[in-house]
Amino acid sequence: MSKAQIEAVVQMIAIPEEEPPVAEQRAAMEQMAAAFPSQVQHGEAVELGGVPCEWIWDDATRDDAVLLYFHGGGYCVGSIATHRNLIAALAKASGVRALAVDYRLAPEHPFPAAVEDAVAVYAALLERGRDPSKIAVAGDSAGGGLSLALMLSARERGMPQPACAALLSPWTDMRASGESFRTRADADPMIVRDRLLVMVGRYIGAASTADPLASPLLADLSGLAPLLIHAGDAELLLSDSTDLAKRAEAAGVDVEIKVWDDMVHVFQAFYPLVDEGRESIAEIGAFIRDRTA
């Protein structure tokens, strides 16, 4: 990675001095995503379990396996459109079709609406005859936490686990109390704790931040499918990944974590600009390919 690469990313994600309204944040995220040329070869809008989704694939992807993807954005912003290129890159790297999910967002639809949507889509895939051993779950930031919430919900409902889950800088603790909130406060150019807590309030509503489906870090993680976690060393939420890996390992889960030097939150989204983003996507793709073989 060159210094110019990471500086270009920092310029793109510079934090405004004042917190914009949610509508403006959503529009800004859509605009930033639209600045990159589309990498999607094929896409098809569908509805599964009553939830808007989109199949994303290219001519080389397998049809028998699925990458079920949940986008990030603090449960308040983001969409299939903002993450379409990243999802397409992961689908290509893994060699399987991706199914992107437009789950409901807060504050209009607070917790547990997103979890309900995730479970509904997964259940619909199973009802349509999809083999769970050929389904990989993945997500970035809030989407990583939602991936874990789906797996926990599936376990409690007696549904089969997916083959695996790949988590990109997952947000796993709504309490914002990890050690990295102290040690990475000056290193992270993207996230500020006070603003993160605003998103927590919008998402959690009247629920508790200790609810394991909102904060999967606090859950009993036993019985979950194998996990791959990729995070950046320069992100405020680093402890959400490292603490998750420790708790998952203690619970007997097959878990692998990699922390990338100097990288920011969900650096994979900037793969056209950052070498490490492309390398991470390739490693995640290999993990999914192996686990869904």
Side-chain angles (χ1 to χ4, degrees):
M1 177 198 71
S2 71
K3 185 177 180 180
Q5 286 179 336
I6 197 64
E7 286 180 350
V9 170
V10 170
Q11 288 297 318
M12 291 184 68
I13 59 179
I15 301 172
E17 291 185 6
E18 295 186 5
E19 177 84 357
V22 172
E24 290 185 16
Q25 292 181 49
R26 290 172 180 169
M29 196 171 188
E30 298 278 344
Q31 183 177 14
M32 183 172 69
F36 293 95
S38 175
Q39 302 298 315
V40 178
Q41 190 170 15
H42 303 292
E44 179 187 2
V46 294
E47 186 175 283
L48 287 176
V51 181
C53 301
E54 183 175 313
W55 287 109
I56 296 172
W57 74 98
D58 64 30
D59 292 336
T61 53
R62 297 157 47 199
D63 290 335
D64 67 322
V66 178
L67 169 57
L68 179 60
Y69 197 90
F70 301 101
H71 69 79
Y75 295 102
C76 298
V77 302
S79 66
I80 292 174
T82 62
H83 286 67
R84 193 176 277 124
N85 277 350
L86 173 59
I87 299 168
L90 288 166
K92 182 176 182 178
S94 59
V96 304
R97 280 189 174 226
L99 182 67
V101 182
D102 246 341
Y103 57 89
R104 288 171 291 172
L105 299 177
E108 298 91 339
H109 304 285
F111 174 83
V115 180
E116 293 170 349
D117 287 355
V119 172
V121 172
Y122 185 60
L125 285 173
L126 297 179
E127 289 167 3
R128 294 185 178 206
R130 287 287 183 173
D131 182 351
S133 70
K134 303 289 186 183
I135 300 175
V137 177
D140 63 280
S141 194
L146 186 54
S147 297
L148 289 166
L150 165 60
M151 297 165 73
L152 292 167
S153 297
R155 185 192 65 191
E156 296 308 309
R157 297 175 187 220
M159 302 165 67
Q161 286 289 296
C164 62
L167 311 175
L168 291 62
S169 300
W171 188 16
T172 66
D173 186 358
M174 289 284 149
R175 302 170 303 170
S177 59
E179 181 184 12
S180 58
F181 280 87
R182 176 180 57 83
T183 61
R184 301 300 191 275
D186 295 330
D188 194 324
M190 182 185 296
I191 303 174
V192 176
R193 185 174 186 272
D194 288 348
R195 295 189 181 184
L196 187 73
L197 290 175
V198 171
M199 283 189 164
V200 170
R202 289 170 178 158
Y203 177 58
I204 291 297
S208 169
T209 56
D211 189 309
L213 296 183
S215 295
L217 179 65
L218 307 180
D220 170 11
L221 301 173
S222 60
L224 295 193
L227 304 176
L228 175 65
I229 307 167
H230 279 196
D233 191 55
E235 60 171 297
L236 202 65
L237 287 170
L238 178 58
S239 292
D240 283 47
S241 290
T242 55
D243 290 350
L244 173 69
K246 292 174 185 175
R247 286 182 57 84
E249 184 177 19
V253 176
D254 180 355
V255 57
E256 177 185 347
I257 183 170
K258 183 170 182 177
V259 178
W260 296 73
D261 291 343
D262 303 319
M263 289 296 101
V264 297
H265 188 61
V266 194
F267 62 94
Q268 298 88 349
F270 303 97
Y271 73 87
L273 301 174
V274 180
D275 294 337
E276 286 85 345
R278 295 187 290 276
E279 293 167 11
S280 174
I281 288 171
E283 292 183 16
I284 292 168
F287 170 77
I288 293 171
R289 196 165 53 245
D290 291 345
R291 294 290 180 172
T292 58

